[in-house]
Amino acid sequence: ALSIMHKATAQLSIELKTPDVYDFKASIHTLWPWLTAKWSGEIQSVPFPWHTLQAMSGGTYGGEVVSIVARTGLGKTWLMLEMALHIWRTTKKPVVFVSLEVMARAIMERLAAMFTQTPMDQLKHTLTPNYFNKKDYKVELHDKLVLLDKSDMPPFIVVDGNLAATVEDVAAVCHRYDPIAVFVDGAYMLKHPDPRKAKHEKNTDNIEAIKRDIATSMDLAAFTSWQFNRDATKLKVGETPGPEHVGGGDGIPNTTSVLLGIFQGDKTDNAAQITKRRIHILKGRGGEQGKFDVGWDFAKMDFGEISEFEQPVLAGIELDDLET
């Protein structure tokens, strides 16, 4: 009965909603209050963790959808978590992270490693003291998690989609926790009410529902992750996939405000590429384009932006005490 009532009221809300219409002549009453609220910080933007993208876009706002796309195994989940943690720490508002492929327990392990800067390899096995830097990772991890539990930080909700979540399920969680941002990792795995529809139709319907029923209706930023299609693997050396190579249909890049692509780098035979990823801005709300590198350091759990003058350090080698 609850499910039937929820579907009926949701459909009624959609049918009753009319397009928002504005008169530019009266923009002093509509646009100006928005601008002044944004400039004063009263309306809080959702920031990106990488300064190049933040400087280009000014962050994102409620009602917008940001999508990240990559081939399998290039680290979409890690960078989604990097964005989620940055937003959570910076805004100090709740965040919802829905994982469609990776188990919630594994997501929590990754978050613990990133938040406490504990090497991920240490969490895979029994935590042991490091005899080189005298760190007892087990004690440090425990103490930091205890402090987090006692802190005033808001909830960071991790949802195990278990390959069966729908947009309605995601919306229900967002209604409960009122987050500033929601992340749907592996959005191509979202279920659809009509199983007879083709895959690209399901993906288009789902991302449009995320935009309409979650991002816009709840005034929050939505982040989704997708994969490149097979045509992306047929490109010539030096060519970069674009929005047209997003697997699942044109509805994904068309609905997305900011589209980011993850790549290994320019030289896959270069050892330095092991410790970084290259992010291409494939689409920006204002036509922004560009690229930047982010760290891929699992020893320091550092996924921050690398400037063109910084040289990445191989994972596992700590150079903090060395002087140049």
Side-chain angles (χ1 to χ4, degrees):
L2 182 61
S3 176
I4 294 172
M5 184 164 57
H6 174 73
K7 291 180 180 179
T9 54
Q11 183 62 34
L12 183 61
S13 298
I14 294 173
E15 293 176 356
L16 290 176
K17 183 175 178 58
T18 58
D20 293 329
V21 179
Y22 299 94
D23 180 2
F24 177 68
K25 178 183 177 182
S27 58
I28 189 64
H29 305 293
T30 54
L31 176 63
W32 186 252
W34 156 260
L35 290 175
T36 55
K38 182 172 68 171
W39 294 333
S40 68
E42 181 182 347
I43 296 177
Q44 191 171 19
S45 68
V46 179
F48 291 107
W50 309 297
H51 56 83
T52 294
L53 182 58
Q54 178 65 20
M56 280 186 174
S57 64
T60 186
Y61 290 89
E64 295 186 324
V65 177
V66 178
S67 293
I68 192 165
V69 57
R71 296 187 180 99
T72 302
L74 274 186
K76 295 186 297 295
T77 301
W78 284 108
L79 294 187
M80 290 277 278
L81 288 172
E82 174 73 7
M83 289 191 288
L85 270 175
H86 180 76
I87 292 168
W88 180 62
R89 282 169 157 163
T90 304
T91 66
K92 289 183 169 54
K93 291 187 178 181
V95 166
V96 169
F97 194 97
V98 182
S99 175
L100 274 298
E101 293 180 297
V102 183
M103 291 179 59
R105 183 170 55 195
I107 294 294
M108 296 285 281
E109 286 184 357
R110 294 187 186 191
L111 283 171
M114 296 171 75
F115 180 76
T116 63
Q117 292 187 307
T118 302
M120 190 62 196
D121 285 345
Q122 293 288 333
L123 269 70
K124 295 178 181 177
H125 313 286
T126 303
L127 288 174
T128 56
N130 186 303
Y131 295 103
F132 294 99
N133 55 26
K134 308 302 181 183
K135 284 185 178 181
D136 190 329
Y137 288 113
K138 186 175 182 178
V139 171
E140 285 195 6
L141 177 64
H142 174 270
D143 291 348
K144 288 178 180 178
L145 292 180
V146 168
L147 289 175
L148 174 61
D149 182 54
K150 296 180 180 179
S151 72
D152 59 353
M153 288 297 291
F156 188 118
I157 304 301
V158 177
V159 181
D160 193 335
N162 195 25
L163 304 177
T166 65
V167 175
E168 284 188 1
D169 296 330
V170 178
V173 176
C174 291
H175 276 297
R176 179 176 179 182
Y177 292 100
D178 191 24
I180 191 173
V182 59
F183 291 76
V184 184
D185 187 33
Y188 45 86
M189 301 299 296
L190 282 169
K191 295 299 181 183
H192 190 276
D194 186 356
R196 296 170 297 178
K197 281 196 172 186
K199 184 176 181 179
H200 70 279
E201 293 177 323
K202 294 179 182 179
N203 287 334
T204 297
D205 288 350
N206 282 336
I207 194 168
E208 288 180 352
I210 290 173
K211 166 78 172 178
R212 179 186 63 243
D213 302 336
I214 297 179
T216 302
S217 295
M218 303 184 197
D219 191 27
L220 57 84
F223 297 77
T224 61
S225 69
W226 309 85
Q227 293 181 337
F228 282 120
N229 57 28
R230 293 180 180 178
D231 290 339
T233 62
K234 302 176 183 178
L235 297 176
K236 297 178 181 179
V237 176
E239 292 183 335
T240 302
E244 69 276 11
H245 294 106
V246 178
D250 294 337
I252 297 168
N254 290 343
T255 308
T256 296
S257 300
V258 179
L259 182 66
L260 307 175
I262 309 175
F263 302 93
Q264 181 70 49
D266 292 335
K267 299 179 180 179
T268 55
D269 58 342
N270 187 342
Q273 298 295 331
I274 298 173
T275 57
K276 69 179 182 180
R277 290 287 188 268
R278 177 152 294 172
I279 298 182
H280 285 251
I281 304 170
L282 303 179
K283 174 187 175 183
R285 79 170 76 83
E288 300 91 349
Q289 290 184 334
K291 58 186 177 181
F292 57 94
D293 291 337
V294 298
W296 208 246
D297 189 342
F298 288 92
K300 297 180 180 179
M301 301 309 295
D302 182 10
F303 304 94
E305 183 170 349
I306 303 172
S307 74
E308 58 179 329
F309 301 107
E310 293 176 332
Q311 295 298 323
V313 179
L314 290 176
I317 301 177
E318 298 187 0
L319 303 179
D320 292 344
D321 299 328
L322 297 182
E323 295 182 356
T324 57

